[in-house]
Amino acid sequence: MGVGVGVAGGGSSGGSGGVKGAGPRGRRRSGLTPLDVHIVDCRYCQEGCCGGKTIAVPSDLYDRLKLIRDALEEYQGVKGKLAMCRVINMLGDVLCQYLGYLPRRPVRVKDVERLISRDVLYKARYMVTRLKDAPDPRTAWLFVELAIQSWFNNMHRVLNVQPRGSWVDYAQDLLSDLGVPWGMRFNFAWVLANLLRSELTEIEYKPGARVEVLAVRLKCPCGALPDVVPTSLPAPAVLVRLWRYLNCLGVRGLDDYWRLIARLREGGGKCRELVS
């Protein structure tokens, strides 16, 4: 990129040009407001920062980049002449994959309620309901993936903070903490799907509706784990509780699961001696 002219606009919660969801002169659409940002104008550069004409930089990050720019200007003896986009391009390999993604939060109380109920609290309910009927491992993982992605992105929207990573990073860390390699994520989801259909659990549905799952009852008592997993919990918490239940029963993968089910059926559906 050429040095060009980089002009940084002032940041505010109303946003301005270059921020998705903001119209001309800062008019908001869809009742959403972006984070506090500074708009870096890259129109005069040959390539444009991160491939765009303008980019939105979160205020806290912009303040740190300014320190780097000021130090470079002093070192090069070009006070006030170094474009901010040049500084950003120097760090583009670690910045550009996240710049421009600004989670927005609703500004109306009703929209906040809808966000919390649909995308934070009850996304796990949808996940469990659909996971139970998943026909294959890949489809099972898609429902798990959807729930994790929705929870991760929308918790940042509720808190009005900029993620320091992606939902994929979060999902990989979550599975790693559970002892599941990322390459085994389809098996992970498929084991959970079969668990929800097995004799090891009892599904509690919403009264009058045999579709929406309210809770999963764990039929084999296992250590200090609670025997009921409500689907009003955050999606990651539901996944952790179900997987720890399986771990307590000696399951670490799909083969372990099928051996466990065979032992359960040989014992007439009784849980005795299943707990490791």
Side-chain angles (χ1 to χ4, degrees):
M1 157 182 272
V3 174
V5 179
V7 182
S12 69
S13 61
S16 58
V19 182
K20 295 177 183 178
R25 297 182 183 177
R27 290 199 301 270
R28 302 187 190 106
R29 296 182 298 179
S30 305
L32 299 174
T33 178
L35 293 165
D36 291 346
V37 298
H38 284 260
I39 305 304
V40 177
D41 187 349
C42 301
R43 289 175 297 175
Y44 299 99
C45 296
Q46 294 177 1
E47 298 176 6
C49 293
C50 308
K53 294 181 178 178
T54 59
I55 57 172
V57 182
S59 294
D60 58 343
L61 176 59
Y62 183 84
D63 291 341
R64 299 180 190 186
L65 292 173
K66 246 180 100 176
L67 294 175
I68 299 175
R69 185 188 66 179
D70 293 345
L72 286 172
E73 286 180 342
E74 183 174 351
Y75 176 75
Q76 297 177 9
V78 289
K79 191 65 176 174
K81 296 182 180 179
L82 186 62
M84 177 60 79
C85 29
R86 185 175 182 184
V87 177
I88 291 174
N89 275 350
M90 288 172 57
L91 305 170
D93 57 331
V94 293
L95 290 180
C96 289
Q97 57 183 320
Y98 301 125
L99 287 178
Y101 170 63
L102 295 172
R104 291 171 289 274
R105 65 178 177 181
V107 295
R108 294 187 295 266
V109 172
K110 190 68 178 175
D111 292 332
V112 174
E113 292 174 347
R114 186 178 297 112
L115 170 65
I116 294 173
S117 63
R118 290 185 181 178
D119 295 307
V120 177
L121 283 180
Y122 298 117
K123 186 58 70 174
R125 181 165 297 175
Y126 173 85
M127 175 187 70
V128 171
T129 299
R130 299 304 179 195
L131 187 59
K132 187 177 65 67
D133 297 325
D136 58 74
R138 186 171 292 272
T139 303
W141 171 251
L142 287 176
F143 290 124
V144 172
E145 178 183 281
L146 174 65
I148 295 175
Q149 181 179 9
S150 178
W151 182 86
F152 178 85
N153 289 341
N154 287 295
M155 276 303 299
H156 283 88
R157 288 180 64 197
V158 169
L159 298 174
N160 201 34
V161 295
Q162 174 75 21
R164 290 298 186 256
S166 70
W167 74 266
V168 177
D169 299 327
Y170 176 80
Q172 290 176 339
D173 289 342
L174 176 65
L175 291 191
S176 177
D177 289 343
L178 294 176
V180 180
W182 184 245
M184 298 297 291
R185 61 190 183 280
F186 300 119
N187 276 352
F188 167 78
W190 189 233
V191 169
L192 293 182
N194 281 281
L195 170 67
L196 295 171
R197 297 190 282 257
S198 75
E199 304 93 323
L200 294 167
T201 59
E202 181 180 342
I203 303 299
E204 296 183 10
Y205 294 95
K206 184 176 180 179
R210 293 287 294 177
V211 176
E212 191 172 354
V213 177
L214 292 183
V216 179
R217 184 170 296 279
L218 310 180
K219 295 176 69 175
C220 297
C222 204
L225 288 174
D227 60 355
V228 176
V229 180
T231 57
S232 57
L233 290 171
V238 171
L239 293 171
V240 167
R241 289 196 184 188
L242 293 177
W243 190 250
R244 285 182 176 169
Y245 174 54
L246 285 167
N247 287 170
C248 187
L249 297 176
V251 174
R252 297 294 186 275
L254 196 55
D255 291 340
D256 292 337
Y257 173 78
W258 293 125
R259 282 193 288 268
L260 176 69
I261 291 298
R263 286 172 55 201
L264 183 65
R265 290 172 181 170
E266 287 171 4
K270 302 227 174 131
C271 293
R272 289 195 306 269
E273 300 180 357
L274 286 183
V275 179
S276 58

